[in-house]
Amino acid sequence: MMFLCACNNTTNIADSSIGQLNYNYDNKHISVTLTEAESNIVKDIFNKKELCNDEPSCGFDKNISIKFDNDYYCIACDSCGIVKFKDKYFNISNSERSKVEKIFKKYGGTFPCV
């Protein structure tokens, strides 16, 4: 699912931020600090994305997220390439989604998780 954006807000994760992966679903309770390399992969994917107002049908939950500083980036719980940030959303490509899922899988998180 893709949607079009007509706004000027973009994501901006600080270079020094290290990600915290959260996956609390189906009796798995995972909370782990990402390595610097993993954090950089996610920042490269999530940074400078155009934020949009929308209400996509994909499920989003802070329990399935990567947190940088105090900001949660909630990955769509199905397999769509949408990420929720605060009350807005942005798109990631299928290949970017695969990279994010690979990091979750390393720590025991699987998709879909709806």
Side-chain angles (χ1 to χ4, degrees), residues 87-98:
D87 62 344
K88 300 198 183 297
Y89 302 87
F90 62 91
N91 290 307
I92 59 175
S93 71
N94 289 339
S95 64
E96 290 171 331
R97 170 80 193 205
S98 294

Side-chain angles (χ1 to χ4, degrees), residues 11 14 22 25 33 39 47-49 66 72 83 87 89 100:
T11 56
N22 300 296
Y25 177 76
T33 301
S39 292
N47 242 347
K48 309 300 181 222
K49 295 291 188 184
I66 298 177
Y72 287 88
V83 178
D87 62 344
Y89 302 87
V100 171

Side-chain angles (χ1 to χ4, degrees), residues 37-104:
E38 292 165 340
S39 292
N40 287 338
I41 289 168
V42 176
K43 285 188 285 190
D44 285 347
I45 293 169
F46 289 179
N47 242 347
K48 309 300 181 222
K49 295 291 188 184
E50 197 170 354
L51 294 166
C52 306
N53 293 313
D54 198 3
E55 292 187 28
S57 59
C58 324
F60 300 93
D61 191 323
K62 284 185 180 179
N63 287 315
I64 312 293
S65 66
I66 298 177
K67 184 173 94 167
F68 288 96
D69 299 318
N70 292 317
D71 293 327
Y72 287 88
Y73 293 81
C74 302
I75 315 308
C77 293
D78 57 11
S79 59
C80 76
I82 301 175
V83 178
K84 181 177 182 180
F85 174 67
K86 298 183 180 178
D87 62 344
K88 300 198 183 297
Y89 302 87
F90 62 91
N91 290 307
I92 59 175
S93 71
N94 289 339
S95 64
E96 290 171 331
R97 170 80 193 205
S98 294
K99 290 176 187 176
V100 171
E101 282 192 24
K102 185 176 179 181
I103 294 170
F104 272 86

